[in-house]
Amino acid sequence: MKIAIGSDHRGFEAKERVKSLLTELGMEVIDHGARSRDSCDYPDLAILVARDVAEDRAQRGVLICGTGLGMSITANKVPGVRAALCHDELTAQFSRRHNDANVLCLAGDLVGDALIRRMVQVWLQTDFEGGRHARRLSKISDFEQHQRNGRPSGGAASG
Ligand code: RB5
């Protein structure tokens, strides 16, 4: 599996460790940076990773900033991306089972290395359950499609 990764300066060390883990697991990694602890802006990295996933250059993405918040807010602006900010193994697992999350966002400042390792592993190993969850995801992608076409969406159909 090909995985795009990115971080800002606050997520740099955690991103380097995630990169080693992914390589250990036999994944192909596209690393967009950061390359150091020098200050940078999380939207730049989030957009690169999210677009790799949305445009199928990578099957999944992992984004890390201090809290994970900026990365998740930005990545979810890219149509087709379902970025999940997770803080434990359970949310990582459910983000796959119920939400088919294709980007995992992590808080480099708040979550320890061992937990990040376990979260990444469970997130990669867990399949989407489909069924009623697929119906719900279709509502999200329908909404995105309508937004792109500049038409109103949501609620009961009229006319
Ligand atoms: C950078 O100072 C910090 O705001 C960023 O890493 C992240 O936590 C934003 O959501």
Side-chain angles (χ1 to χ4, degrees), residues 8-11 42 65-71 109:
D8 70 355
H9 50 293
R10 301 200 74 96
Y42 61 80
C65 62
T67 59
L69 289 164
M71 289 300 195
D109 283 346

Side-chain angles (χ1 to χ4, degrees), residues 82 97-100 128-142:
R82 293 175 300 279
R97 286 175 58 183
H98 286 192
N99 312 107
D100 198 17
F128 177 49
E129 284 177 8
R132 66 187 189 283
H133 305 296
R135 184 184 70 236
R136 291 159 187 165
L137 294 190
S138 296
K139 293 191 177 188
I140 300 173
S141 46
D142 287 352

Side-chain angles (χ1 to χ4, degrees), residues 1-7 14-15 18-19 21-22 27-33 45-65 68 71-72 75-76 78 80-86 92 95-96 99-107 116 119-125:
M1 190 188 293
K2 208 181 271 188
I3 307 197
I5 62 172
S7 74
K15 188 263 295 172
V18 166
K19 184 179 178 176
L21 169 64
L22 294 173
M27 308 287 164
E28 198 177 325
V29 179
I30 306 169
D31 181 0
H32 286 291
L45 291 306
I47 290 166
L48 288 172
V49 168
R51 291 192 66 186
D52 270 358
V53 173
E55 292 163 21
D56 224 20
R57 287 183 291 276
Q59 283 70 59
R60 303 272 189 90
V62 178
L63 284 166
I64 311 175
C65 62
M71 289 300 195
S72 56
N76 278 314
V78 177
V81 166
R82 293 175 300 279
L85 171 56
C86 299
S95 77
R96 292 286 313 134
N99 312 107
D100 198 17
N102 50 15
V103 174
L104 173 65
C105 298
L106 297 164
I116 285 185
M119 288 167 69
V120 169
Q121 279 175 289
V122 77
W123 189 72
L124 290 172
Q125 287 159 3

Side-chain angles (χ1 to χ4, degrees), residues 137-151:
L137 294 190
S138 296
K139 293 191 177 188
I140 300 173
S141 46
D142 287 352
F143 179 76
E144 276 178 345
Q145 196 60 48
H146 287 303
Q147 290 288 103
R148 270 196 270 187
N149 296 340
R151 284 193 225 116

